[in-house]
Amino acid sequence: GPCEHRPTRPDHQVNRWYIAPGSNNFNLGINTDRRRAVSFNVNTNGNREKETGVVRYGFGGGVTMRPSPQLDLSLQPSVSWNEHDWQYVAAPTAATGHREYIVAHLDQTTVSLTTRMNYTVTPTLSVQLYAQPFLSAGSYDSFRRVASPRARAFDERFHTFAGDEISYDVDGRRYTARIGADSVRFDNPDFNVRSLRSNAVLRWEYRPGSTLFVVWSHGRAERTRSGEFDFGRGVRDLRDASGTNVVMLKLNYWLDL
């Protein structure tokens, strides 16, 4: 996934500050009355870097339903598109022993759906359910090396590899970048991540102050390297991925001494 912008830091030799590109940000959210049987919320946010022009934005929302005092159900989908013009890729060491820092342009898409259900069967018996499927894919291009990290102009801090300076081995899924008479190699950073986290909790207060919890947790995850976002294929691959199941018991007993 993408790294965050580094905080500003001083160059003590020349007593100047070097900063990440400035950005414009916005956030907007709308909520209806949560006391009603059905309530909605919608939110959006975005970010645009001034010097690079890359844009990040996302949309989310949800609906909460309370058909009875004992039951409430909420669904919260979200989707985000993330661009990063100087995403960290690797720090390979050349044959001369010099370490190079490689960055690239990242284009990432992420979707998720968070589902929650709470059901009170009786005052002493309740069930809680939670599930969150998650799909994300990111592809990289325009590889660059950090050439002058303390340059005042942002573009002067990087050297973009020209077509004859970088090559790709399809079978080995590795890039080779030429730097003068030297060269470095690094793996293809493209990624696809699919995961599902879910759990169910049964709570039974079998006597005043004494409670039994039965917890079932299910998870599955898969990671590949195509870098292409395909919602339908991602859902199918997540459905077919191997999973793990864990069952836990917790018993509390109140001693009335």
Side-chain angles (χ1 to χ4, degrees), residues 4-255:
E4 299 295 331
H5 290 181
R6 301 298 183 187
T8 59
R9 64 179 185 181
D11 182 335
H12 299 289
Q13 295 179 349
V14 294
N15 194 27
R16 289 197 306 222
W17 286 81
Y18 296 89
I19 61 176
S23 62
N24 295 318
N25 305 275
F26 75 88
N27 293 275
L28 175 65
I30 300 175
N31 298 276
T32 63
D33 190 344
R34 297 181 180 178
R35 295 171 298 178
R36 296 185 177 274
V38 180
S39 61
F40 301 89
N41 70 86
V42 179
N43 62 80
T44 180
N45 62 84
N47 171 286
R48 184 183 185 276
E49 277 187 352
K50 295 179 180 179
E51 293 190 57
T52 64
V54 298
V55 178
R56 309 172 185 91
Y57 52 99
F59 297 94
V63 55
T64 299
M65 295 168 285
R66 299 180 178 87
S68 70
Q70 292 80 27
L71 175 65
D72 66 80
L73 173 67
S74 68
L75 302 173
Q76 296 177 308
S78 69
V79 57
S80 65
W81 295 269
N82 173 41
E83 260 192 293
H84 200 304
D85 208 40
W86 45 294
Q87 169 64 41
Y88 171 81
V89 172
T93 301
T96 57
H98 181 68
R99 184 179 294 275
E100 296 287 347
Y101 291 89
I102 308 299
V103 300
H105 176 90
L106 168 66
D107 190 354
Q108 180 183 12
T109 302
T110 302
V111 299
S112 67
L113 174 64
T114 302
T115 303
R116 291 183 172 89
M117 188 195 77
N118 298 306
Y119 181 55
T120 303
V121 184
T122 69
T124 59
L125 181 65
S126 63
V127 179
Q128 295 179 327
L129 301 177
Y130 169 87
Q132 185 190 58
F134 173 92
L135 305 175
S136 185
S139 60
Y140 293 75
D141 58 20
S142 301
F143 292 93
R144 297 183 285 178
R145 68 180 180 90
V146 179
S148 181
R150 291 188 172 90
R152 179 173 293 276
F154 182 75
D155 287 341
E156 295 177 359
R157 302 175 191 177
F158 307 98
H159 169 77
T160 301
F161 294 113
D164 60 350
E165 292 179 318
I166 189 168
S167 60
Y168 182 59
D169 176 9
V170 177
D171 295 331
R173 296 187 57 83
R174 288 175 64 85
Y175 286 94
T176 300
R178 181 166 53 83
I179 305 172
D182 212 340
S183 64
V184 293
R185 294 182 178 181
F186 54 93
D187 293 334
N188 184 340
D190 292 351
F191 64 89
N192 293 71
V193 177
R194 295 172 282 270
S195 70
L196 171 65
R197 296 181 302 163
S198 61
N199 59 65
V201 180
L202 183 144
R203 178 185 180 276
W204 176 36
E205 188 176 2
Y206 57 93
R207 55 172 293 175
S210 300
T211 309
L212 171 67
F213 294 90
V214 181
V215 181
W216 169 68
S217 176
H218 174 78
R220 59 181 64 193
E222 185 179 55
R223 186 182 181 97
T224 58
R225 292 189 173 273
S226 73
E228 177 184 359
F229 185 83
D230 186 320
F231 180 79
R233 185 174 63 187
V235 171
R236 292 191 298 270
D237 290 346
L238 179 59
R239 179 195 61 194
D240 297 335
S242 59
T244 58
N245 294 281
V246 177
V247 177
M248 296 176 288
L249 299 177
K250 179 181 178 180
L251 180 66
N252 295 331
Y253 185 79
W254 177 261
L255 295 175

